[in-house]
Amino acid sequence: LTPAGEYFIPKAQEMLYNETQLYKAMAQYSSGENGQLVIGVTPFRSLYLMPEVVRKVKARFPGVQVVLHEAGSAQLRKEATEGRFDFAILNLPLDEGLLDIQPLEPDTLVLAVPAEMAHLLSGKDADDCLDFGDASALPFVVLGKNQELRQLFDRMCATAGFHPNIAAEVVGVTTAWAMAHAGVGAALLPLQFVRSRHFDENLKLFTLNDNVYSRQPAIVMRRGQYVSDYARYAIELL
C-alpha cells in the first residue's frame, strides 16, 4: 500500500464496521424478533455446546436465523476483533484491548484411554488421578502441531520428561475421540466434550493431578459492539 492506502484502509474498515452495527440495531427495531445471530465457535465446541443453545434461542425467537461460523481459534480471534460475529467462544488469554470478555466454565482436560491399554498405566484405575508421566508407555492420538491442545500436550510431555509415542495425528478433537474409542491410542480431551458423547466401556477416563491442565473459554465480542436481545439471551444460556 502507498502511505495514503495505509491511512485509508483502517479508516474504511472502521466505517464499514460502524455501518454494520447500525444496520443490526435498526433491524431489530423494524422487525421485532427477526434477525440473524452469528456465533464464532470451533467445530468441537459447536458439537457439544451449541445444539441446546440454538434450540432454546429458536424457541424464544423463532424469526431469528442462527449462523454458526465454525473455524479454528486463530481465525476466530482475528474475526472477533473485526466485529464479524455477535460473539465468539475462544480460549483465554486474549488481547483485551479491543474485546469484551466474559469467562465461561473452564475446560477440564482428561486422558481418554482405550480399555485394552489401561494395563500400561501401572495399576491405575478409571477415575484415578494421574501424574502425566504415568502415561508415558501409552501410544497417543494427537492434534496437529499448530493447534492449542497439541501445544499443551507437547508441554506436558516435556514437563513429565518423556518423548511420546505418537500413533496418529488428526485435525480435530472429534476425530481424536473417535480414534481413542477405536483403540488406536490415548487422547487428551476436554471433559465437557467427552461427557456429551455416547460411548461404552471402550474408553477409561483419567483426570490429571496438576490442575494447570485446563483451558479457560470465554465469550468475546468487539468492545462497544451492538448486542441484540437474542444475542444477549444466547449469552445468558451459555
Side-chain angles (χ1 to χ4, degrees):
L1 295 174
T2 64
E6 290 177 350
Y7 176 82
F8 175 82
I9 290 294
K11 298 294 184 183
Q13 288 173 332
E14 185 69 21
M15 290 173 65
L16 291 171
Y17 169 77
N18 290 333
E19 181 184 32
T20 299
Q21 299 309 305
L22 179 59
Y23 279 128
K24 284 183 177 180
M26 297 312 296
Q28 185 161 318
Y29 283 109
S30 64
S31 58
E33 295 180 352
N34 294 326
Q36 189 179 73
L37 173 61
V38 183
I39 301 170
V41 62
T42 56
F44 97 87
R45 239 183 216 126
S46 180
L47 181 67
Y48 79 86
L49 194 58
M50 298 313 301
E52 188 66 12
V53 171
V54 173
R55 184 187 69 80
K56 290 182 177 180
V57 168
K58 290 293 295 179
R60 183 161 173 176
F61 300 97
V64 170
Q65 180 191 34
V66 180
V67 178
L68 299 180
H69 182 90
E70 296 176 304
S73 297
Q75 181 179 342
L76 292 177
R77 283 194 191 94
K78 176 180 181 294
E79 294 181 346
T81 60
E82 295 170 350
R84 299 287 185 92
F85 315 121
D86 288 276
F87 62 86
I89 303 173
L90 290 165
N91 292 324
L92 300 181
L94 294 164
D95 182 0
E96 299 184 20
L98 290 175
L99 298 172
D100 286 325
I101 295 173
Q102 182 175 338
L104 295 171
E105 176 190 13
D107 283 335
T108 300
L109 299 181
V110 295
L111 190 65
V113 180
E116 64 268 28
M117 296 180 181
H119 68 280
L120 298 174
L121 291 171
S122 306
K124 295 288 185 178
D125 199 1
D127 299 323
D128 286 350
C129 284
L130 292 178
D131 293 323
F132 198 63
D134 294 335
S136 60
L138 290 170
F140 289 95
V141 178
V142 298
L143 301 189
K145 291 183 178 180
N146 63 332
Q147 298 187 59
E148 292 175 337
L149 198 57
R150 171 60 182 278
Q151 292 163 5
L152 176 59
F153 172 84
D154 289 344
R155 291 198 299 272
M156 291 166 64
C157 292
T159 300
F162 71 91
H163 184 75
N165 171 17
I166 305 297
E169 181 177 295
V170 300
V171 171
V173 171
T174 307
T175 307
W177 168 82
M179 290 285 185
H181 191 263
V184 175
L188 190 66
L189 301 170
L191 180 59
Q192 287 85 341
F193 169 82
V194 176
R195 281 175 175 163
S196 73
R197 305 291 85 214
H198 298 289
F199 58 83
D200 49 33
E201 297 179 354
N202 288 0
L203 285 177
K204 294 185 179 294
L205 303 181
F206 296 86
T207 56
L208 301 166
N209 279 326
D210 194 335
N211 62 10
V212 72
Y213 304 140
S214 64
R215 301 189 303 176
Q216 178 60 67
I219 294 169
V220 302
M221 64 182 68
R222 180 164 164 155
R223 184 157 295 160
Q225 182 172 307
Y226 173 75
V227 184
S228 65
D229 289 344
Y230 36 89
R232 189 172 289 108
Y233 179 60
I235 290 168
E236 289 172 0
L237 291 172
L238 287 163

